[in-house]
Amino acid sequence: MKKNILEAPFVKEICRLASNMYRLGWDERNGGNISYLLDEAEVGEYLDLDKPLRVIPNSGVHPTGFDASPLAGKIFLVTGTGRYFKNVEYDPETNLGIVRICQDGKSSEVLWGYKGGGRPSSEFPAHMMSHMARLKVDPKQRIVIHCHPSNILAMTYVHDLDEAKFSHTLWEMSTECIVVFPEGVGVLPWMLCGTDEIGVATAKKMEDFRIVLWTNHGIYGAGDDVDEAFGLIETVEKAATIYNLIGGREIKNTISEENFLELIKQFSLEKVVNYSFFNNPEYRALKK
Ligand code: 2HA
Ligand code: ZN
């Protein structure tokens, strides 16, 4: 006798996440998407893993050349394409789905959800490529979240897109930033969404960063669990909010490079920090 999937902790967790993100204004209309790597044994308590409902291609908006075979057999909970985050908690079976990546890497079996013929997010390739990249650097990596928070989006309109400069400005906007994302943030220029190209570019950044900004579009966050990925996006969005509140006004007090070094020592960030920003001559020149 299988347990009720609507009671599964991983379904409830994603319902809560989607509602929180909606209420924070990060996911207007059908904006945003989530993919969550599940534990096969745990899913097996709720679903018959030998009885997929149907098989679907792994494409985004267009047919894809993307090969997901490194993820073959892995099971993901993914928000549905065209679905609204505000509705997820009220009808998880329509707005979410659980898929298992097929051996051919080109298709997936739907194990549950997407009721009425739905499909995974249009950004499925970008999500799967990001999981592949993050799993290489962090085998515990499980979640990728994409959304459209207003302040970070606004910041991509007015700030230099250079990663070292962008990360540095975010770190300056609140003391905890360098502690929460010591590696900084990756930044992509405007690119067409829903394509393999933006997926490849996002995944490349994900080799070095857990946060990737899509200029004039939104943000990708990855993590070992929901709290980590959500907390990362929340912290970046908070920093961008401070940046926008400051607006063009003169900054009289900021966090200096000496302060950053104190934080690095205090929180032993040297263990996890990619020091490239500090050693980077371009970064050093910024501080002269
Ligand atoms: O509509 O956010 O990037 C979902 C998206 C596409
Ligand atoms: Zn988007």
Side-chain angles (χ1 to χ4, degrees), residues 24-199:
L24 284 164
W26 298 356
D27 298 279
E28 74 292 342
R29 202 173 179 275
N30 63 324
N33 23 75
I34 302 167
S35 61
Y36 192 21
L37 175 58
L38 303 178
D39 177 67
E40 184 180 329
E42 195 180 358
V43 181
E45 295 174 23
Y46 300 90
L47 301 175
D48 187 341
L49 300 179
D50 299 325
K51 291 213 181 90
L53 307 175
R54 55 198 164 98
V55 176
I56 49 164
N58 285 341
S59 52
V61 177
H62 306 289
T64 178
F66 162 55
D67 176 14
S69 54
L71 297 173
K74 293 210 187 304
I75 298 174
F76 291 90
L77 176 57
V78 188
T79 49
T81 183
R83 295 293 165 193
Y84 289 32
F85 271 36
K86 76 183 180 67
N87 298 333
V88 170
E89 70 168 305
Y90 303 104
D91 186 1
E93 194 173 357
T94 301
N95 295 296
L96 302 175
I98 294 179
V99 294
R100 179 170 52 200
I101 310 291
C102 294
Q103 294 301 325
D104 67 3
K106 301 280 177 211
S107 50
S108 294
E109 295 167 315
V110 177
L111 300 174
W112 173 80
Y114 307 130
K115 202 171 84 185
R119 289 171 14 103
S121 160
S122 60
E123 303 294 356
F124 193 63
H127 275 252
M128 293 303 115
M129 290 183 220
S130 296
H131 279 284
M132 280 156 55
R134 288 302 311 162
L135 281 166
K136 275 192 207 148
V137 287
D138 173 9
K140 298 196 301 301
Q141 152 71 35
R142 285 179 62 203
I143 184 150
V144 173
I145 300 174
H146 164 64
C147 56
H148 307 156
S150 308
N151 285 286
I152 196 70
L153 236 160
M155 203 172 152
T156 67
Y157 282 81
V158 295
H159 197 281
D160 191 318
L161 297 181
D162 175 84
E163 273 162 5
K165 291 182 190 166
F166 210 110
S167 300
H168 188 266
T169 302
L170 288 171
W171 287 346
E172 277 182 316
M173 293 302 121
S174 137
T175 299
E176 71 163 358
C177 282
I178 194 170
V179 182
V180 176
F181 49 98
E183 76 272 44
V185 298
V187 183
L188 290 181
W190 185 91
M191 291 178 75
L192 185 59
C193 52
T195 60
D196 283 3
E197 287 73 20
I198 202 166

Side-chain angles (χ1 to χ4, degrees), residues 262-279:
E262 285 182 70
L263 285 161
I264 285 168
K265 283 188 208 139
Q266 171 90 351
F267 292 95
S268 303
L269 299 179
E270 61 267 32
K271 293 203 182 87
V272 288
V273 144
N274 173 356
Y275 264 104
S276 62
F277 293 139
F278 289 98
N279 299 326

Side-chain angles (χ1 to χ4, degrees), residues 217-284:
H217 183 140
I219 187 166
Y220 264 72
D224 295 355
D225 57 36
V226 168
D227 282 350
E228 184 197 349
F230 179 86
L232 267 172
I233 296 173
E234 200 177 23
T235 308
V236 169
E237 174 61 2
K238 175 74 173 263
T241 307
I242 308 292
Y243 178 82
N244 291 331
L245 283 171
I246 293 169
R249 288 181 295 170
E250 183 195 354
I251 292 181
K252 294 190 175 164
N253 314 292
T254 192
I255 306 167
S256 67
E257 185 161 351
E258 287 67 36
N259 297 152
F260 285 141
L261 291 170
E262 285 182 70
L263 285 161
I264 285 168
K265 283 188 208 139
Q266 171 90 351
F267 292 95
S268 303
L269 299 179
E270 61 267 32
K271 293 203 182 87
V272 288
V273 144
N274 173 356
Y275 264 104
S276 62
F277 293 139
F278 289 98
N279 299 326
N280 181 331
E282 213 178 309
Y283 174 83
R284 291 247 161 240

